[in-house]
Amino acid sequence: EAGVAQSPRYKIIEKRQSVAFWCNPISGHATLYWYQQILGQGPKLLIQFQNNGVVDDSQLPKDRFSAERLKGVDSTLKIQPAKLEDSAVYLCASSWMVNTGELFFGEGSRLTVL
Amino acid sequence: KQEVTQIPAALSVPEGENLVLNCSFTDSAIYNLQWFRQDPGKGLTSLLLIQSSQREQTSGRLNASLDKSSGRSTLYIAASQPGDSATYLCAVRFLIQGAQKLVFGQGTRLTINP
């Protein structure tokens, strides 16, 4: 069974530039999550989708971050414009059951903002 | 506010020892708790998922326990090996006013010395 796929693995940009990350969850998983993990900290939820609807985006900085999950499968997370403090690993996870199932994570996308 | 705490932040033990990692949480109204392993530069790998109705789960050399009344979970690793070196994170799914919220601890960085 294929795992959660993410790309790109690494990205370096200047501040005020834009960047996009892509995630393809495990086949059949209805719930998709984007997390931000700053070095030395636990992951922080940015947004949670159930199929193509948003369940929780309370911690998403909506002035610069956006995410979509068209057709309820893969998802894109965009940052525009990027700030220095956005340097982090962006992790995508999926689960089969809404809210209760085991989470499976991708390898992450490491963003460095200069 | 629902919080998850993992102490210590780092732990170093010689190979072969049995060890316990701790996770504490502030609210006993939880749905489940999941332990993850994270290798440097990698995503999170699920180790064990304990539902709120369960007291423990076992997988190979790993055993996780859950005590909701005291707000604690432990991850027991038997006969530790250098390959067990990684950061271990626990994540608690809290029940908050009919909704569910997954909160991660900061992790314990484990080093097994040959």
Side-chain angles (χ1 to χ4, degrees), chain A residues 13-92:
Chain A
I13 61 173
E14 301 279 338
K15 61 182 179 183
R16 292 187 290 273
Q17 287 187 325
S18 63
V19 63
F21 302 111
W22 174 82
C23 171
N24 191 31
I26 292 173
S27 178
H29 281 196
T31 309
L32 185 148
Y33 311 78
W34 282 103
Y35 285 88
Q36 180 192 59
Q37 187 177 27
I38 293 172
L39 188 64
Q41 299 182 16
K44 182 186 83 170
L45 179 68
L46 293 175
I47 189 167
Q48 176 184 342
F49 292 96
Q50 174 64 18
N51 295 311
N52 60 350
V54 175
V55 174
D56 184 353
D57 64 356
S58 58
Q59 297 188 92
L60 185 74
K62 298 179 183 66
D63 58 333
R64 298 183 299 105
F65 286 65
S66 64
E68 61 182 9
R69 190 183 184 198
L70 301 176
K71 301 181 181 179
V73 181
D74 57 351
S75 176
T76 302
L77 175 71
K78 296 180 181 178
I79 307 174
Q80 181 179 15
K83 292 185 175 181
L84 296 178
E85 58 261 36
D86 297 332
S87 294
V89 176
Y90 292 85
L91 295 164
C92 179

Side-chain angles (χ1 to χ4, degrees), chain B residues 12-113:
Chain B
S12 181
V13 301
E15 180 179 3
E17 280 200 3
N18 302 324
L19 61 99
V20 173
L21 304 180
N22 297 300
C23 172
S24 61
F25 44 94
T26 53
D27 190 336
S28 62
I30 70 169
Y31 203 96
N32 59 35
L33 183 149
Q34 192 168 356
W35 281 94
F36 294 89
R37 168 189 174 134
Q38 187 173 32
D39 294 286
K42 300 287 189 179
L44 279 68
T45 300
S46 177
L47 297 175
L48 290 164
L49 172 69
I50 309 178
Q51 302 296 342
S52 63
S53 59
Q54 299 175 318
R55 296 297 299 271
E56 65 178 334
Q57 282 281 358
T58 298
S59 175
R61 295 182 294 109
L62 305 179
N63 176 276
S65 67
L66 174 62
D67 184 344
K68 287 192 303 179
S69 61
S70 65
R72 295 186 63 181
S73 176
T74 61
L75 179 66
Y76 174 83
I77 303 177
S80 60
Q81 304 170 357
D84 295 330
S85 297
T87 296
Y88 290 80
L89 297 111
C90 74
V92 180
R93 191 176 295 281
F94 292 102
L95 296 168
I96 305 172
Q97 298 176 335
Q100 298 184 19
K101 188 176 182 69
L102 187 67
V103 179
F104 279 84
Q106 305 263 39
T108 294
R109 188 173 69 253
L110 177 65
T111 302
I112 307 298
N113 301 305

